[in-house]
Amino acid sequence: MKPLISALLLALVAVPAMAGDITDTSFVKTHGPHPFNVRDLVMMQRVSDPQLSPDGRYAAFGVRSTDYAANKGINAVYVLDLSGNGSQPVKVVDKGGSALWSADGHSLYFVAPAKGVAQLWRVDLGGKGGLDLAKHAAPVQVSHAPLDINGYKLSPDGKQVLLSYEVFTDCATLACTQQRVEARSKDKASGTLYTKLFVRHWDTWANGRRNQLFVAGFDDKGQLPVEPTLLSRGIDGDVPSKPFGDESEFGFAPDGKTVYFDARIAGTTEPWSTNFDVYSVPVDGSAAPRNLTADNKAWDAYPVASPDGKTLYYLAMKTPGFEADRFAIMALNLATGAKREVDPKWDRSPGGLSISADGKTLYATADDEGQHPLFAIDPANGEVTRLSGDGTVDGYSLVGDKLLLSRDDLKHPADLYLAKANGSDLKQVTHFNAEDLKNAKVGDFEFFNFKGWNNETVQGYVVKPVGYQPGKTYPVAFIIHGGPQGAMTNGWSYRWNPQTYAGQGFAVVTVNFHGSTGYGQAFTDAISGDWGGKPLEDLKLGWKAALDKYSFLDGNRACALGASYGGFMTYWIAGVWNQPWKCLVDHDGVFDTRAMYYDTEELWFEEKENGGTQYEHPENYEKFNPINHVKDWRVPMLVVHSGDDFRIPITQGLGAFTAMQRRGIPSQFLTFPDENHWVLKPHNSVQWHDAVNAWLKQWTAVDTSKTATN
């Protein structure tokens, strides 16, 4: 259930009681100085995926803009000359993404549609003496397969490419899969017969296809064959994993002769297993994949080979069936098979790895006490060095002594920053959204610590409303994060951004309760089996600490909001801690923990968090079941649940709304039939924010003449 860590979403309900009244999603962008709002948010350009050229002179990166009329995002690829001549980013691909440099640094590969199918393309940027970005050649399509590319990675010499396609594993060709898909679309019978789980996963119904890994070589014209070579032969699993796997799950050995990837064998246990393993396979597909980590029944993933090809680094958990266990960095001696943990003293859980050209430094990001910085790890002794300051590093690229970062924080969306490999001399090199941010004013923020459950230190933060004036008090949005093994960090979000509330005149308070990431594994583990215990105690004590510390918070005009696990907690506090709140907003939350076990898809999460299956341990599922406290509900609630949310299905939200209506408590229900656990479409996002802000204002609109004492 790790996707829920990032599911820090609110959905919203408009003030009118009837669904038919919720129709105004008109877009009027504010000009001139104004408080930040959702219209600013959805129209921002989103910078991501930094890639340094082989010589380190150029940066390629993606930028997503919003076509609001078409209700979608548009991805483009830009290149920036970093040589210090004051150059500006140049758009080299109008529609496409996932750009990678060719081995010689003269071209970029990227993914874009051709006749409705995602294909691999190449754009040539110039020759010797520097790239001519203003006069680059027209993009050339290099793949011609009948199926969408899910992901790709170039070989070190640039002569081959790994490709992921979703196929029927009993098909010998990609064309066979396409023919079956077309035949099914023409079948007038619409039923599907399932014999095992997953029946559906995240937001997609199972169709019998698996992501599989292929390899193909470029011919002398730079073209790929229509039918590549299958490498993941015999793997009953997805490469990369569904629903959020990516290219960090597979890669080449330095000599290009071997490919490494991770996969979970599905069989009949996929919904309750986290047993991913790392495999090796010859690049020519002459042998079946070989499992390198069969001894560990927990999660092994994200392989990265050392430059000399002798060591394979990867991440590994130690607890089977647990997705929020600490990822340790492991080193596998490929000659002897010996394994060792590189970083046993580092009590953080890093993300995917990369390695320096000399093999002496590993790089990874990790949550760390409210921040998400980049770290350098010495693979010889496990020594860890933090390379970036406050904020969130979303992506990075390293060439020689140059480090390119995509970085954001609570007041700024992502831009690119250039530094030395040791993190020094950091400077910003792109300034997307700068003009908009001059006009769209955001609130200042501050982290604070307090004594939480068991007198242990817990962290939270407060965001001041835009236009804050000393001596005045302000209504409060008390945000409860999801996961539950997640955190509200110093980062910019397009799904749950505290600045959208600050711009509406609300102060924001959030608490990284026991169960949050970035504070050590014991702190993260503390929530399992205790969803309504320690975290609730932290929330209570954090709320009190914030009120005591920040006199501008009006505790009599506060609403609590939460999504996913935060939605569970919102339903839970509706029955057991509803005294402080004027209103509640619940997005895609768990209302009935008993039904949730049978309704959700990833059963490993439920079984780990509740100590086993529901039928073997029903008492564990009832211990913190919000449905058992409906009789004590009293606070007006806005319930939001989307139709394509298969993680926490819509019946959970419908049940809660039914309870509110039957009790006669002011309540509303909003559903987006075309959204999953997240609300992503631009028009839906605007409607979501407009309506939830209206709900907050409705229930906190009381006498505003009261002033603080200091």
Side-chain angles (χ1 to χ4, degrees), residues 262-323:
D262 64 65
R264 173 181 54 198
I265 300 302
T268 59
T269 65
E270 188 175 21
W272 51 91
S273 170
T274 60
N275 187 18
F276 283 77
D277 283 305
V278 175
Y279 294 80
S280 67
V281 63
V283 74
D284 60 3
S286 59
R290 181 167 64 96
N291 191 339
L292 303 178
T293 60
D295 55 317
N296 183 28
K297 303 305 179 183
W299 201 323
D300 304 289
Y302 309 110
V304 172
S306 62
D308 61 10
K310 296 180 180 180
T311 304
L312 186 69
Y313 297 101
Y314 63 97
L315 300 180
M317 294 184 180
K318 298 178 181 179
T319 305
F322 190 25
E323 66 172 15

Side-chain angles (χ1 to χ4, degrees), residues 572-604:
W572 183 241
I573 67 177
V576 303
W577 184 45
N578 56 40
Q579 296 82 8
W581 314 117
K582 293 298 183 183
C583 72
L584 302 170
V585 178
D586 193 294
H587 172 72
D588 287 6
V590 178
F591 170 59
D592 183 355
T593 55
R594 175 176 52 202
M596 172 65 177
Y597 176 79
Y598 296 100
D599 290 343
T600 193
E601 8 86 289
E602 293 182 352
L603 292 178
W604 67 73

Side-chain angles (χ1 to χ4, degrees), residues 639-656:
V639 179
V640 188
H641 222 109
S642 296
D644 283 341
D645 184 357
F646 302 154
R647 182 58 43 84
I648 302 178
I650 193 172
T651 49
Q652 293 279 324
L654 284 167

Side-chain angles (χ1 to χ4, degrees), residues 18 84 155 198 212 240 278 302 309 355 451-452 484 513 543 565 652:
M18 300 300 292
S155 62
F198 292 118
Q212 294 284 279
V278 175
Y302 309 110
I355 192 167
K451 294 299 182 182
F513 45 79
W543 176 237
Y565 169 83
Q652 293 279 324

Side-chain angles (χ1 to χ4, degrees), residues 114-134:
K115 296 181 180 179
V117 179
Q119 302 284 5
L120 189 64
W121 296 69
R122 186 188 69 251
V123 57
D124 296 325
L125 301 176
K128 296 180 180 179
L131 305 183
D132 188 352
L133 300 179

Side-chain angles (χ1 to χ4, degrees), residues 60-136:
F61 56 98
V63 177
R64 179 190 183 275
S65 57
T66 299
D67 184 339
Y68 194 76
N71 202 27
K72 64 180 182 180
I74 304 295
N75 294 309
V77 178
Y78 285 73
V79 174
L80 174 64
D81 188 345
L82 299 170
S83 60
N85 57 8
S87 63
Q88 296 298 310
V90 176
K91 185 191 294 187
V92 297
V93 175
D94 290 326
K95 294 183 179 180
S98 302
L100 293 176
W101 289 97
S102 62
D104 62 10
H106 296 160
S107 304
L108 278 172
Y109 290 90
F110 64 95
V111 176
K115 296 181 180 179
V117 179
Q119 302 284 5
L120 189 64
W121 296 69
R122 186 188 69 251
V123 57
D124 296 325
L125 301 176
K128 296 180 180 179
L131 305 183
D132 188 352
L133 300 179
K135 299 179 181 179
H136 62 79

Side-chain angles (χ1 to χ4, degrees), residues 332-576:
L332 167 63
N333 185 313
L334 291 168
T336 67
K339 301 182 180 75
R340 66 178 176 87
E341 183 175 348
V342 170
D343 59 335
K345 297 181 180 180
W346 189 33
D347 196 8
R348 294 294 183 266
S349 189
L353 300 170
S354 62
I355 192 167
S356 61
D358 62 8
K360 295 181 179 181
T361 308
L362 292 165
Y363 296 85
T365 60
D367 281 353
D368 185 49
E369 296 187 355
Q371 315 294 332
H372 190 81
L374 178 67
F375 295 89
I377 305 98
D378 187 328
N381 59 24
E383 181 179 338
V384 178
T385 303
R386 179 169 167 168
L387 299 183
S388 60
D390 290 349
T392 293
V393 173
D394 297 303
Y396 63 95
S397 178
L398 177 74
V399 171
D401 192 41
K402 286 187 177 180
L403 181 63
L404 185 68
L405 306 174
S406 171
R407 181 176 172 273
D408 59 72
D409 58 39
L410 276 164
K411 295 180 69 174
H412 305 91
D415 264 306
L416 297 188
Y417 295 75
L418 189 65
K420 291 183 178 180
N422 62 6
S424 64
D425 296 340
L426 182 73
K427 64 177 180 179
Q428 187 173 346
V429 294
T430 66
H431 298 83
F432 286 83
N433 306 299
E435 289 302 314
D436 288 335
L437 285 173
K438 285 182 181 178
N439 286 323
K441 306 303 181 182
V442 297
D444 292 328
F445 67 93
E446 178 178 311
F447 280 83
F448 67 96
N449 293 329
F450 63 93
K451 294 299 182 182
W453 173 83
N454 199 33
N455 209 36
E456 295 178 5
T457 299
V458 178
Q459 186 183 57
Y461 67 71
V462 168
V463 181
K464 292 180 179 179
V466 175
Y468 164 80
Q469 297 180 28
K472 289 189 175 182
T473 61
Y474 299 89
V476 185
F478 185 73
I479 298 177
I480 307 168
H481 74 68
Q485 292 90 354
M488 292 290 283
T489 59
N490 183 10
W492 188 263
S493 174
Y494 288 96
R495 296 195 297 270
W496 192 334
N497 192 317
Q499 298 293 356
T500 64
Y501 304 101
Q504 296 295 312
F506 287 87
V508 176
V509 176
T510 188
V511 170
N512 285 332
F513 45 79
H514 277 79
S516 301
T517 53
Y519 304 94
Q521 192 59 39
F523 193 90
T524 301
D525 290 345
I527 196 172
S528 295
D530 197 29
W531 273 29
K534 292 185 285 292
L536 178 62
E537 187 72 11
D538 288 343
L539 291 171
K540 288 180 176 180
L541 292 170
W543 176 237
K544 181 180 185 303
L547 292 177
D548 290 344
K549 183 176 178 66
Y550 302 104
S551 59
F552 60 86
L553 301 176
D554 188 344
N556 295 315
R557 292 193 294 148
C559 293
L561 314 90
S564 195
Y565 169 83
F568 158 84
M569 181 55 75
T570 301
Y571 288 142
W572 183 241
I573 67 177
V576 303

